[in-house]
Amino acid sequence: MPISSDRRTAPGALGRRPALETLGDALSRTFSGSRALSGSGTFGRASGRFLGRALSRMSGPVRPGRAEAFGVLAGVALDALLADPRRGHPVALFGRAAAALERRLYGDARPAGVRYVAACVGPVALLGLAAARTPDPRVRGALAAAATWAVLGGTTLGREGAAMAGLLESGDLAGARRRLPHLCGRDPSRLEESGLARATVESIAENTSDAVVAPLFWGAVAGIPGLLAYRAINTLDAMVGHRDARYERFGWAAARLDDVANYVPARITGLLTVLAAPPAGGSARRAAAVLRRDGHRHPSPNAGRCEAAFAGALDLTLGGVNVYGERVEHRPEMGDGAKPSVADIRRSVRLARVVNLAAAGLAAAALLARRTGPAKGRPASRAAGR
């Protein structure tokens, strides 16, 4: 909807408009001309342009109804342009604090794990709640942008996938084995090219939900507290949610809470993957069929939805034997195509990025819809009459 002339010249709008337009235009150009989306079709390029134009059009006075939506889109832009810093990332700082707290609270029992999760997630959620109650919508939007950038990992995920593809394409098997732990916890020492390719594609599929769709979902549902609390929960699961002698009981609470937090986002990821299949060169019908048939077969209540949808969209077969140190898992196969090859890694990265863009647009739209309506404390009839 075009911005009316009175909104363009509203007090304070002239000072903000050029900067926001520049950010929006830069994001639009970044995605429209991105090599990552070359071959992703009209949907991928249009999604990128939508995000860029949405930022540009939010350059008037930032009212409470759109502060969080602006923040989410700005955070997506920051993630696309900056990715994760090598040092000082907020999630890494949280991880170090959580590790220190684990040394104090550890006990080989579920109640100890519950106390640990509460002690880690509670303060983070309260910090998000304080940020969400900031009265100035412009400041709140800026805080939402910072929180969104901090919790997203889509750009880094794509770069790791591209790095694995590059190493395998050049025949550097040893380098690919050293790189795989950046994506997953499998033992890479026994994996050949095909196994490394499968591990990479499966990790991209699962982490598209964990690193992008899930945080955006919780941001849309609960704003800044949702963004921060989700990332804390997911980080704790990665740290202690393991089935081994040390964490079988202590990590139970973190693992189960992560399952709950990802239940809806994983299914949204599956549906978005079905819709994104044609732009990524796949079949929506095949993706939907494999998701429906195989999504529940994975031992994880959530990862299977993502992996099955990717398997169908890319016409691959995922699943099989995975080795995690001394533990071996035999996972059901999903899909009807060939086993992943090196070329399929870049295809999975393109598919993930289209899903990420769609999720960002949906999250911003949900925030706008959630905030639209009569002002708080004012009866609907009186608000309508004015």
Side-chain angles (χ1 to χ4, degrees):
M1 183 175 180
I3 300 175
S4 61
S5 58
D6 60 327
R7 287 174 62 187
R8 286 180 183 164
T9 57
L14 293 177
R16 292 189 303 274
R17 184 175 176 80
L20 293 179
E21 283 191 338
T22 299
L23 180 58
D25 292 343
L27 179 60
S28 181
R29 288 193 300 271
T30 296
F31 285 115
S32 297
S34 173
R35 281 192 229 167
L37 287 176
S38 60
S40 292
T42 304
F43 177 76
R45 292 190 296 272
S47 297
R49 287 195 295 270
F50 164 76
L51 292 179
R53 289 173 182 173
L55 279 174
S56 297
R57 292 186 179 187
M58 289 182 179
S59 54
V62 184
R63 298 181 300 183
R66 57 185 182 178
E68 288 82 1
F70 163 76
V72 165
L73 293 179
V76 171
L78 290 172
D79 180 63
L81 298 173
L82 304 178
D84 296 337
R86 293 183 180 273
R87 296 180 181 179
H89 193 285
V91 176
L93 296 176
F94 169 80
R96 285 199 287 271
L101 190 60
E102 179 192 342
R103 291 191 289 270
R104 296 177 61 89
L105 298 182
Y106 177 81
D108 189 18
R110 288 183 177 182
V114 171
R115 290 192 293 271
Y116 171 69
V117 169
C120 291
V121 177
V124 172
L126 290 175
L127 179 64
L129 186 61
R133 291 185 173 180
T134 302
D136 188 331
R138 290 184 293 273
V139 175
R140 194 165 63 251
L143 292 173
T148 302
W149 165 77
V151 303
L152 290 183
T155 299
T156 296
L157 177 64
R159 290 180 181 178
E160 289 296 332
M164 284 291 294
L167 290 168
L168 291 172
E169 287 164 356
S170 66
D172 188 356
L173 196 63
R177 286 171 174 162
R178 289 192 299 269
R179 190 91 187 191
L180 185 65
H182 293 201
L183 283 170
C184 64
R186 299 180 199 181
D187 180 2
S189 62
R190 308 178 190 180
L191 296 178
E192 299 300 325
E193 182 180 277
S194 59
L196 290 166
R198 178 170 73 85
T200 302
V201 171
E202 290 175 356
S203 297
I204 289 171
E206 180 178 359
N207 284 300
T208 294
S209 179
D210 289 359
V212 181
V213 178
L216 289 174
F217 169 80
W218 285 108
V221 170
I224 300 174
L227 288 167
L228 299 184
Y230 171 77
R231 179 50 62 216
I233 292 167
N234 188 245
T235 302
L236 292 180
D237 177 61
M239 293 176 63
V240 305
H242 310 301
R243 296 177 181 176
D244 56 26
R246 177 176 175 84
Y247 292 119
E248 181 71 30
R249 286 174 286 274
F250 181 75
W252 173 83
R256 297 292 78 76
L257 186 58
D258 185 72
D259 287 343
V260 172
N262 281 292
Y263 187 87
V264 174
R267 284 146 183 82
I268 293 174
T269 302
L271 294 175
L272 289 178
T273 302
V274 170
L275 297 176
S283 166
R285 179 175 297 179
R286 183 173 59 239
V290 175
L291 172 60
R292 183 171 54 252
R293 186 192 70 196
D294 297 339
H296 67 282
R297 301 178 64 200
H298 196 282
S300 163
N302 300 317
R305 268 63 184 186
C306 309
E307 292 183 22
F310 266 65
L314 300 172
D315 195 18
L316 298 173
T317 294
L318 300 178
V321 178
N322 295 340
V323 179
Y324 302 90
E326 298 180 355
R327 180 166 54 90
V328 178
E329 291 188 4
H330 298 267
R331 294 184 176 179
E333 292 188 340
M334 296 175 286
D336 302 308
K339 292 286 188 178
S341 66
V342 175
D344 295 316
I345 295 176
R346 295 194 187 276
R347 294 176 62 219
S348 70
V349 170
R350 288 196 294 270
L351 176 60
R353 283 181 171 156
V354 178
V355 173
N356 296 347
L357 288 170
L362 285 175
L367 282 166
L368 285 171
R370 184 164 65 89
R371 297 292 184 176
T372 300
K376 292 182 179 180
R378 183 186 298 176
S381 58
R382 289 181 61 191
R386 292 185 184 183

